[in-house]
Amino acid sequence: MSAGLHRLAPYACDPASSRGRLHDEPGGEQRGPRDMFQRDRDRIIHSISFRRLRHKTQVFIAPDGDHYRVRLTHSLEVAQIGRAVARVLGLNEDLTEALCLAHDIGHPPFGHAGEDALGEALAGRGGFDHNAHCLRTLMLLDSPYPRFPGLNLSWEMLEGLAKHNGPVLAPSWAMREADAAMPLDLATWPSLEAQVAAIADDIAYDNHDIDDGLRAGILALEQLLEVPLVARNWAKVTARYPDVPAPELLRELVREQIGNMVNDLIATTRANLAAAGLEDADAQAIREAGRAMAAFSDEMREAERQLKRFMYANLYHHPLQLAGADRARIVVSDLFEAYHAQPALMGEGWRGGPVEEPMHSRHVVDYIAGMTDRFAETAHRRIYGNKLDRRVH
């Protein structure tokens, strides 16, 4: 029993059986009472790249209100859901939590708009993938230790971050570099902890983005009730609280939906393990199962897809959101152009990078990808003045 008082299932990842870290550490693995996965989690929490998530876009670019979610608060909410599911299923809670906390670290400023701009900047030079960049950041760029680059996370942690959405059959250049440094068995499924972390991410943003959309006035309850999943849960909530005004029940609706999705995930995952004869198997058998074991039921999967289609049509692709995304792409593209032409404009420690392609362009993108939204805006203003305001109006 290596996860506190929580007894691990046979198929859970056990830190005592870890494949280890890429770099040997002076003084050995043990420092205080923490095991390997607990140290992974703490390394994420104490990292600069994790702290930057507080000023990186989740749904709304550089939101004006204090109550909207950003990448940091989203990651904390994913970790809360993931850890709760891990406990019920007998998984390693610390590894699950660490994967949830770290899963968005590779995102550049301005969310997917920023990622699109960096992908265009690296067109013909390997492109940009936020998932692969997460590994690049944690294995190379965020380097607080004196003897080795990166955070030197465990193999199980890196494997889970690489493959939490399933096998990687066409790895990008950055993923290939990570795999070459520490082979991650990219063609197999990841641990059950990583599978749970991936679905916890879906559960969190499906429902918390509803909360933010309602708060911003972009979504309306009447629209949401066109989604069958939402309508069913709203009926439960209003029946439970018939005397409470509808506006005061919106957050209860979100809680109801999260609970239903979590319960479905737990029940379906248990059923999948039983059907595959993996209830007493080890973690490696989960990786070699040939399919995901952590999953929604067919009914919930289709309901969740309907909800996602609604959210893309009515929130993520709302005209106000698209206008913000256009502005963000201009900021990121302009910064790449400036830094690529004049590397001396980059911050201390970044100016003396490689000069040959494609590494020069990738080095510039590494710098931009680490920026927060507000840092990127400030940097753009410092270089271009009010050029952006004239271009978008």
Side-chain angles (χ1 to χ4, degrees):
M1 237 178 0
S2 53
L5 298 177
H6 174 49
R7 184 175 296 278
L8 294 179
Y11 44 74
C13 287
D14 187 343
S17 302
S18 171
R19 298 195 197 182
R21 304 187 189 278
L22 179 59
H23 306 285
D24 292 333
E25 300 192 2
E29 170 63 31
Q30 194 69 22
R31 182 183 296 174
R34 299 170 301 162
D35 65 34
M36 181 170 284
F37 300 152
Q38 290 170 333
R39 293 181 70 190
D40 282 348
R41 177 202 58 210
D42 295 349
R43 289 179 182 197
I44 294 298
I45 291 173
H46 289 277
S47 69
I48 289 175
S49 51
F50 182 69
R51 292 198 294 274
R52 286 176 180 152
L53 295 179
R54 64 178 171 169
H55 292 299
K56 289 199 176 191
T57 293
Q58 175 61 22
V59 176
F60 298 107
I61 294 174
D64 293 329
D66 291 337
H67 297 164
Y68 294 109
R69 288 165 176 86
V70 292
R71 289 282 172 193
L72 179 63
T73 55
H74 165 71
S75 297
L76 293 171
E77 290 168 340
V78 174
Q80 178 265 326
I81 294 171
R83 185 153 192 156
V85 174
R87 172 161 294 206
V88 174
L89 293 176
L91 302 176
N92 188 288
E93 293 180 38
D94 299 310
L95 177 59
T96 306
E97 181 181 22
L99 290 165
C100 292
L101 291 172
H103 80 282
D104 269 353
I105 277 177
H107 276 282
F110 311 119
H112 293 290
E115 183 170 3
D116 291 343
L118 292 184
E120 293 174 6
L122 288 183
R125 302 179 180 94
F128 181 86
D129 166 38
H130 76 264
N131 194 47
H133 192 73
C134 178
L135 271 77
R136 184 169 172 81
T137 299
L138 298 175
M139 295 178 72
L140 182 65
L141 302 177
D142 194 339
S143 295
Y145 299 104
R147 299 286 182 87
F148 47 78
L151 299 186
N152 203 28
L153 301 172
S154 70
W155 183 89
E156 290 76 12
M157 181 72 181
L158 296 174
E159 179 232 16
L161 290 172
K163 303 186 299 185
H164 62 273
N165 289 320
V168 181
L169 302 181
S172 65
W173 67 270
M175 187 68 77
R176 290 196 301 272
E177 283 193 351
D179 186 57
M182 193 174 195
L184 299 171
D185 297 350
L186 294 179
T188 66
W189 285 88
S191 66
L192 204 51
E193 284 84 354
Q195 295 179 36
V196 165
I199 301 182
D201 181 28
D202 287 339
I203 293 172
Y205 80 72
D206 282 344
N207 293 291
H208 293 143
D209 289 358
I210 288 176
D211 190 23
D212 281 357
L214 290 167
R215 187 183 302 278
I218 293 178
L219 298 180
L221 177 61
E222 292 73 18
Q223 289 177 289
L224 281 164
L225 293 179
E226 297 172 5
V227 181
L229 177 66
V230 178
R232 288 196 297 272
N233 286 307
W234 182 247
K236 294 177 185 177
V237 167
T238 53
R240 191 180 306 139
Y241 302 103
D243 301 326
V244 177
E248 298 178 21
L249 290 179
L250 295 177
R251 293 171 73 183
E252 184 66 22
L253 168 66
V254 171
R255 287 191 288 269
E256 181 74 22
Q257 294 208 155
I258 291 173
N260 284 351
M261 286 184 169
V262 165
N263 289 337
D264 182 272
L265 167 61
I266 292 169
T268 305
T269 302
R270 283 173 166 165
N272 287 343
L273 290 168
L278 295 175
E279 292 172 296
D280 295 316
D282 61 14
Q284 189 58 29
I286 297 293
R287 296 184 176 97
E288 297 170 355
R291 67 183 181 93
M293 290 292 110
F296 288 133
S297 64
D298 291 343
E299 180 182 2
M300 181 61 76
R301 185 182 301 111
E302 178 54 34
E304 196 255 353
R305 285 173 180 165
Q306 291 175 343
L307 176 58
K308 272 190 169 64
R309 288 194 290 268
F310 171 87
M311 294 295 283
Y312 273 96
N314 294 280
L315 178 62
Y316 307 136
H317 292 165
H318 188 277
L320 291 176
Q321 293 287 83
L322 295 178
D326 288 342
R327 177 187 175 94
R329 279 189 286 269
I330 292 172
V331 169
V332 173
S333 297
D334 282 353
L335 288 176
F336 177 82
E337 181 179 323
Y339 295 140
H340 191 272
Q342 301 182 63
L345 293 173
M346 291 192 288
E348 190 70 31
W350 289 87
R351 297 164 185 162
V355 296
E356 297 182 356
E357 292 293 352
M359 293 314 299
H360 173 54
S361 293
R362 292 174 180 177
H363 178 74
V364 173
V365 165
D366 283 342
Y367 180 60
I368 296 172
M371 293 180 174
T372 63
D373 295 13
R374 66 180 186 176
F375 187 93
E377 293 265 15
T378 300
H380 188 276
R381 196 174 300 112
R382 184 167 57 246
I383 296 171
Y384 292 99
N386 294 324
K387 172 186 175 184
L388 178 62
D389 295 328
R390 294 194 298 271
R391 287 172 66 179
V392 297
H393 290 297

